[in-house]
Amino acid sequence: MYKVEILSDNLRDAAILRRKNLDEERKQRIFDPKIRVLGIDVRALEDQIRTKNEMKKVEKEREVAFDKTMRHTNAILQHLDAEAIAQNRAQLKSLNHYRVMNQQPSQRRDYDLYDPKALKSDRPARVGDDDERIGLSSCQRFEGEDLASAQRKRLQKEQMKTWSQEGVWERRAKKFEEAEEKRLYEKYQNDVDQKVITLQNAVKDARAEQARADKEYNWQLAELKRQREAEERRYDEEQNVAEINRQVNGNFLTEHPDVFNIGGGHQVRVDMFKGMTEEQKRYIHQVQEKQRAEAEARREEQKREEERIARQEACNIRAAMLLEREKARQVREEAVELREENKRKAEEFKMK
């Protein structure tokens, strides 16, 4: 089943808890002798309020310092991120420029295999003995004739030269690319190291600032505690001095007999009473002697009454014993008469 919270129950529980807290506070006020006798210490309460306000002020300054440190660290991180993005963009721009300038399709080794303009470069004139445009009847081809040797050698030289240049370019490009990659990697590594160092310095500064703020905060707390303890000691000393003055100059130690009686009667104030006078002591002794004589007379009377009761009980016991003896005698006589009667009847029955 689902647990359903009833609003009335919550309100009732809150009211009960509030009344309990009020009762506990009232008990503390009632059972605390200092508060009950001297009242509420307004100055101590004011000191507590002032201390709490100072602690709130210090906490607020600490939070402001934290916020300032966080904003400074955030600005540093944003600046480093912007520099990394700009460096990455410049690196990509340089790489694209190198590709446009040094990596054209016409500079590739196998460009002649997929050159779209290869057919445009064909010449209609004879280029060699294997030219398909020349038939058998053209008398253009003879056995052992090599008309394309010079062109072939020239093309081979150009091709070798091109291959050599392409190899040189490839080695240069590879070397440049490796150097560029190494430079970019070193730059990236330096940026990362610099960012790490910056973050470490920021963290170190933040920790130092935090330690300084904590030290300042702890020092302020210690100073407030010392001030509060000094105020409490001073206040306790003043209260002790006032209490000593009240006790020394009060009616209790000065022994004023007029303040003992309550309403002029025989009752006395326990907190002010320190002893009785000689007249009161003599009166008490007389009363005690009188009470002792009365108690002795009551004991004598009680003793006589006990003796009388004892004699009466002895008489009653003796009378009871006599009655018992008389009863036992009557029982014996009745038993004898019964035996005689039974004997007589037995004889009559026997005769019959």
Side-chain angles (χ1 to χ4, degrees):
M1 296 178 66
Y2 293 101
K3 184 178 179 181
V4 180
E5 294 183 357
I6 302 174
L7 183 60
S8 60
D9 294 341
N10 295 333
L11 295 176
R12 185 178 66 251
D13 295 338
I16 292 172
L17 182 61
R18 185 172 63 254
R19 286 197 297 272
K20 286 183 178 179
N21 294 331
L22 292 175
D23 291 338
E24 291 296 330
E25 293 178 359
R26 185 169 177 270
K27 287 180 182 178
Q28 292 179 1
R29 291 196 302 272
I30 291 174
F31 293 107
D32 191 353
K34 184 179 288 186
I35 296 177
R36 188 176 65 252
V37 176
L38 302 179
I40 299 174
D41 191 357
V42 179
R43 183 165 53 185
L45 294 177
E46 290 178 353
D47 293 338
Q48 292 178 2
I49 293 171
R50 185 176 64 256
T51 303
K52 187 179 291 184
N53 293 330
E54 290 177 355
M55 292 177 65
K56 288 182 179 179
K57 182 178 179 181
V58 172
E59 188 67 24
K60 186 176 181 181
E61 292 177 355
R62 185 182 180 186
E63 291 179 356
V64 170
F66 284 163
D67 294 337
K68 184 178 179 181
T69 304
M70 290 177 63
R71 287 195 296 269
H72 180 66
T73 305
N74 192 12
I76 293 174
L77 292 175
Q78 290 179 357
H79 180 69
L80 293 175
D81 291 336
E83 287 184 354
I85 292 171
Q87 291 175 1
N88 191 12
R89 187 181 295 111
Q91 179 183 357
L92 293 175
K93 185 177 180 181
S94 176
L95 182 61
N96 292 328
H97 182 266
Y98 175 77
R99 289 174 178 174
V100 170
M101 296 302 296
N102 300 319
Q103 292 183 352
Q104 293 293 329
S106 60
Q107 297 176 352
R108 297 179 182 175
R109 180 184 300 175
D110 53 355
Y111 179 70
D112 56 341
L113 299 177
Y114 57 89
D115 186 7
K117 298 180 180 180
L119 297 177
K120 294 182 180 180
S121 62
D122 291 342
R123 291 178 295 177
R126 179 185 175 188
V127 296
D129 295 337
D130 297 330
D131 193 351
E132 296 179 355
R133 297 173 298 175
I134 301 173
L136 297 173
S137 61
S138 61
C139 294
Q140 296 285 329
R141 293 187 298 178
F142 298 96
E143 192 67 30
E145 184 179 15
D146 188 7
L147 298 177
S149 60
Q151 187 178 2
R152 185 174 62 254
K153 290 179 181 180
R154 182 177 58 81
L155 292 175
Q156 289 176 354
K157 290 180 180 180
E158 291 179 357
Q159 188 175 11
M160 290 297 294
K161 183 178 180 181
T162 303
W163 287 353
S164 298
Q165 291 179 355
E166 288 178 357
V168 172
W169 290 341
E170 287 179 359
R171 287 192 296 273
R172 289 180 180 177
K174 186 176 181 181
K175 187 176 181 180
F176 177 79
E177 185 177 358
E178 290 177 354
E180 187 68 18
E181 290 178 355
K182 184 177 180 181
R183 184 184 65 81
L184 293 175
Y185 177 76
E186 291 177 353
K187 186 177 181 182
Y188 173 75
Q189 191 67 30
N190 292 329
D191 293 338
V192 172
D193 295 339
Q194 187 66 29
K195 184 183 291 186
V196 171
I197 292 171
T198 304
L199 290 175
Q200 289 178 353
N201 293 330
V203 172
K204 185 177 179 180
D205 295 338
R207 288 180 178 176
E209 184 68 22
Q210 179 68 28
R212 188 189 63 77
D214 292 339
K215 184 178 180 181
E216 184 70 21
Y217 179 71
N218 294 329
W219 182 84
Q220 292 178 0
L221 289 179
E223 186 66 24
L224 291 175
K225 184 178 180 181
R226 285 194 295 271
Q227 293 177 1
R228 185 173 64 253
E229 291 177 352
E231 290 291 333
E232 290 178 355
R233 287 195 299 271
R234 184 179 60 79
Y235 178 75
D236 291 338
E237 290 176 358
E238 292 178 356
Q239 294 296 324
N240 293 331
V241 171
E243 183 67 22
I244 292 171
N245 291 329
R246 284 195 299 270
Q247 295 293 336
V248 171
N249 299 323
N251 295 325
F252 181 72
L253 295 179
T254 54
E255 300 183 0
H256 292 170
D258 298 335
V259 298
F260 293 161
N261 295 332
I262 299 176
H266 64 281
Q267 297 182 357
V268 296
R269 292 184 57 182
V270 179
D271 59 336
M272 302 294 294
F273 184 73
K274 291 197 65 177
M276 296 181 295
T277 61
E278 295 295 331
E279 183 179 357
Q280 291 176 343
K281 291 179 179 179
R282 287 195 299 271
Y283 175 74
I284 290 172
H285 290 161
Q286 293 175 1
V287 173
Q288 289 177 350
E289 290 294 333
K290 183 179 179 180
Q291 291 176 352
R292 190 179 299 108
E294 292 177 353
E296 187 67 24
R298 285 195 300 271
R299 284 195 297 272
E300 291 294 333
E301 182 66 24
Q302 185 177 2
K303 184 177 181 181
R304 287 194 296 271
E305 182 68 20
E306 289 177 354
E307 290 177 354
R308 186 183 63 78
I309 292 172
R311 288 195 299 271
Q312 183 67 33
E313 288 180 352
C315 292
N316 293 334
I317 292 170
R318 188 166 57 253
M321 291 175 64
L322 294 174
L323 290 174
E324 289 290 335
R325 290 177 182 177
E326 182 65 23
K327 186 176 180 181
R329 185 182 62 77
Q330 292 178 358
V331 169
R332 287 194 301 272
E333 291 178 355
E334 289 178 356
V336 171
E337 290 178 357
L338 182 61
R339 286 196 300 272
E340 293 294 334
E341 182 68 22
N342 291 333
K343 185 177 180 180
R344 185 178 58 78
K345 287 182 179 181
E347 290 178 355
E348 291 179 357
F349 180 74
K350 185 177 179 181
M351 291 176 68
K352 289 180 180 181

